[in-house]
Amino acid sequence: MANRRIIKASDLSGFSIFQDPKRGTIFYDIISRKGYILTSSDVRTYTLYTAMLPLSIVIAVLAMSMFNLTYVTTFFIFLGLYLIAFLAYRFAFFYKLPEATNWKKVKKESVFLYLARGYSKARLGILIFLLAALTILMPIYAVLEQRTGIDLYGSYALAGASFIGMIIVIISLIIKIRNNY
């Protein structure tokens, strides 16, 4: 049996996670604007919560390819899955955590610094390559499949979002190279 690395709450990071020296790990809920204390026993459930967005995307894309669905139908499948998971975790998990009273959110670093410090040059390079491929291939796929209307515009929107993400990662890579992060 493989050795599993036990993840503690202090190992968590992300845009909604703050490490407070007095209270420990705090999850900041942007909806209620409150902080909730995460303990090491909550890490597994929180990790499942963070996997809900990519998992919803994968399930929706698989449904699209298996059942030959349109982009609009696929989007609504994704949205439905994600909203169900989002609400389930909100009410069944986060709102049952102890609240960090009188806790104020501290300003975090920008997404560029977050990516530059958190990922290696190789990972950023691979991410740039994948986003560039998605930017180029999505419109080509839409034209080859003779998509029209909202499906065509959805492909262009996805390509545009991929292009913006690629620019963000390129800037992060430049920052990483210049500052030797």
Side-chain angles (χ1 to χ4, degrees), residues 111-125:
V111 69
F112 304 112
L113 288 174
Y114 177 77
L115 290 171
R117 289 186 181 154
Y119 296 97
S120 67
K121 291 176 189 174
R123 276 188 164 189
L124 291 173

Side-chain angles (χ1 to χ4, degrees), residues 79-141:
L79 192 62
L81 288 171
Y82 185 69
L83 283 176
I84 289 169
F86 179 81
L87 292 173
Y89 271 96
R90 287 275 160 210
F91 294 108
F93 176 62
F94 286 123
Y95 295 150
K96 292 184 179 177
L97 292 173
E99 184 180 331
T101 55
N102 298 327
W103 179 80
K104 300 291 183 211
K105 179 183 166 190
V106 294
K107 186 169 175 151
K108 283 199 159 188
E109 61 189 16
S110 71
V111 69
F112 304 112
L113 288 174
Y114 177 77
L115 290 171
R117 289 186 181 154
Y119 296 97
S120 67
K121 291 176 189 174
R123 276 188 164 189
L124 291 173
I126 291 169
L127 188 55
I128 290 168
F129 173 76
L130 292 174
L131 288 170
L134 194 58
T135 300
I136 295 167
L137 294 177
M138 279 305 293
I140 292 172
Y141 173 75

Side-chain angles (χ1 to χ4, degrees), residues 45-108:
T45 309
Y46 175 77
T47 306
L48 288 173
Y49 167 73
T50 59
M52 283 301 129
L53 178 64
L55 187 61
S56 298
I57 291 171
V58 167
I59 290 172
V61 169
L62 284 174
M64 180 177 76
S65 64
M66 287 174 38
F67 301 114
N68 199 21
L69 302 174
T70 65
Y71 286 122
V72 175
T73 306
T74 304
F75 174 75
F76 284 118
I77 289 172
F78 155 74
L79 192 62
L81 288 171
Y82 185 69
L83 283 176
I84 289 169
F86 179 81
L87 292 173
Y89 271 96
R90 287 275 160 210
F91 294 108
F93 176 62
F94 286 123
Y95 295 150
K96 292 184 179 177
L97 292 173
E99 184 180 331
T101 55
N102 298 327
W103 179 80
K104 300 291 183 211
K105 179 183 166 190
V106 294
K107 186 169 175 151
K108 283 199 159 188

